[in-house]
Structure formats: C-alpha cells, structure tokens
Amino acid sequence: ISKVFATQIVGELGASGPIPLEDLSHLHITDLPRGSFGFQLEDLGQEAPLALFPQAPPLTEAVERANTIIAAASESDEAFADAMDEVGDRVYSAIKGFFVTIASAEATFRLESEKMHLSFDAARVSAAVARATAERTEEIDIPMPGTFLGVLAGSGKFEHRSESGSVLAGRISTNRRPEEFADWFNKRCVAHLRVMTLRKSGREWKRYSLLRIESSASA
C-alpha cells in the first residue's frame, strides 16, 4: 500500500531506497477478527502532514488500488496486465512477494475493504502466483512515427496508427491530460510511448502509455 500510495503522488519509484512519503501511508492494527487468523487495519489519520501535500489522494484510494491489483492476479492474464500498467517495478515486486509468501505457507485468505470482498482459495492463489511471477519489462520512451487517431476525454484512452499500419491503443500517462493532445487529431507525428510487457509460458501482453507527442519534423 505504501508503494502504491507513493506511486500515485510522485510517479514511478526508484529501483531501491526509501519509499517517498511512507509515513503518510501507515495502517494500524485495530482488531483481530474472530474465526480465523487475521488483522483489521485502519488509517488513524494524518491530516496535518497531508496538508503539506494537497495533491495526495486519500489513502483509501491506494488501498483500493492495491486490492484491485491483488484481485486482477486471480482473474485473467489480460486483467493482470491491465493492473500492472504504470505501477512500476517496485509495486510489481511487492505483489509478487505477497503471493509467493502466501503460496509458500500453503495458506488461503480473505481480503475485505469498503469496496471489495475477495476470497482466495488454493486454486486462486496458485493462479495468482503464476501471473505475479511472470517476467515484466518496461521500455521507457519509444518514439513511434505515425498518425495520431485521438484520445477520449473521459477515459484517457488513445489510439495511434504506426507507419506499418498497425493501431496501438492504450492510455495517456497519469501525469498528462487528454486536452493536451487535442490538436494532434488525425495528424502525422511521433508519439512517444512507454511500453510495459508481461511474458508468461511463451505468451506476452503489451500495454502502451502515451508520454508526449512531437511533430515528425522535430523528431
């Protein structure tokens, strides 16, 4: 949760070192639910420190985002690839470590939050481990000449036709706004993309994030 929270504020984290703003994302054990071994975790409030970071989303958003990633690991390869897009290697490593630890203990678990109720039996844990241990690579800034086909204002989804004729679809980077690309509709340009690839059992899934666009002449 701390890594997801930091990624939402500062962007992709470095490969190592302290987690930025980690003290703002601590959850505290407030109860031990009966009937099984578990923990009830709560945010006890960090209003004063958060006032220094008005751009910070509520911690509940990081919790639900982390839960969404955990859920996606048991749903499908496509869902997990979507969830892994733009989270960075440190979040991916944390998810992998979480599921490997659960599997090595031959454990099952339930995860409940305000918006999500998940139950992982042995089969779902096994499927999640297979996805979470897949090879993940990132290409940070790939120039792709072609024709920009547009971006949706609501979802931030874009399409770009490369010079080979293939249409690449994805989302704009989290620190960009759809209106920034409005003037490029149906124009030749160079789209700079971040490409995330997951590889598992001889198959691969690619996800594209639009970083910026420049004219073909300036590339």
Side-chain angles (χ1 to χ4, degrees), residues 131-208:
R131 295 187 179 102
T133 54
E135 178 188 1
R136 181 183 187 275
T137 59
E138 287 185 353
E139 297 170 278
I140 301 302
D141 191 340
I142 304 300
M144 188 68 65
T147 301
F148 189 64
L149 301 180
V151 58
L152 296 176
S155 65
K157 293 182 179 179
F158 77 90
E159 289 188 349
H160 179 74
R161 181 182 291 114
S162 68
E163 290 185 329
S164 67
S166 61
V167 175
L168 305 178
R171 296 180 182 272
I172 62 173
S173 181
T174 53
N175 62 347
R176 305 303 297 268
R177 300 185 305 276
E179 55 267 27
E180 297 178 43
F181 304 102
D183 292 341
W184 291 102
F185 174 67
N186 211 31
K187 292 182 179 179
R188 288 189 55 77
C189 61
V190 178
H192 288 259
L193 306 176
R194 173 184 169 277
V195 184
M196 188 281 296
T197 305
L198 283 178
R199 296 182 179 89
K200 179 174 75 72
S201 303
R203 299 181 61 194
E204 67 176 27
W205 296 263
K206 291 183 178 292
R207 295 295 183 269
Y208 301 95

Side-chain angles (χ1 to χ4, degrees), residues 41-192:
L41 302 173
E42 292 187 21
D43 174 21
L44 298 186
Q46 295 280 354
E47 291 82 359
L50 280 175
L52 302 175
F53 302 96
Q55 77 277 26
L59 183 55
T60 53
E61 289 187 17
V63 171
E64 296 301 342
R65 175 62 174 151
N67 290 349
T68 297
I69 296 172
I70 291 172
S74 71
E75 291 174 8
S76 68
D77 295 327
E78 291 287 343
F80 188 61
D82 288 341
M84 286 295 98
D85 191 22
E86 289 205 350
V87 300
D89 286 340
R90 291 187 74 177
V91 174
Y92 181 60
S93 296
I95 292 296
K96 177 166 63 176
F98 172 78
F99 278 112
V100 168
T101 299
I102 294 292
S104 64
E106 299 183 351
T108 61
F109 69 95
R110 295 198 319 274
L111 182 62
E112 299 182 1
S113 68
E114 182 178 342
K115 296 182 179 179
M116 195 170 293
H117 298 269
L118 305 173
S119 181
F120 279 72
D121 58 16
R124 293 190 74 182
V125 169
S126 178
V129 169
R131 295 187 179 102
T133 54
E135 178 188 1
R136 181 183 187 275
T137 59
E138 287 185 353
E139 297 170 278
I140 301 302
D141 191 340
I142 304 300
M144 188 68 65
T147 301
F148 189 64
L149 301 180
V151 58
L152 296 176
S155 65
K157 293 182 179 179
F158 77 90
E159 289 188 349
H160 179 74
R161 181 182 291 114
S162 68
E163 290 185 329
S164 67
S166 61
V167 175
L168 305 178
R171 296 180 182 272
I172 62 173
S173 181
T174 53
N175 62 347
R176 305 303 297 268
R177 300 185 305 276
E179 55 267 27
E180 297 178 43
F181 304 102
D183 292 341
W184 291 102
F185 174 67
N186 211 31
K187 292 182 179 179
R188 288 189 55 77
C189 61
V190 178
H192 288 259

Side-chain angles (χ1 to χ4, degrees), residues 22-42:
E22 184 176 10
D23 58 326
L24 303 185
S25 58
H26 289 164
L27 296 177
H28 300 265
I29 298 174
T30 59
D31 196 6
L32 299 176
R34 297 180 181 179
S36 63
F37 179 77
F39 303 97
Q40 178 174 303
L41 302 173
E42 292 187 21

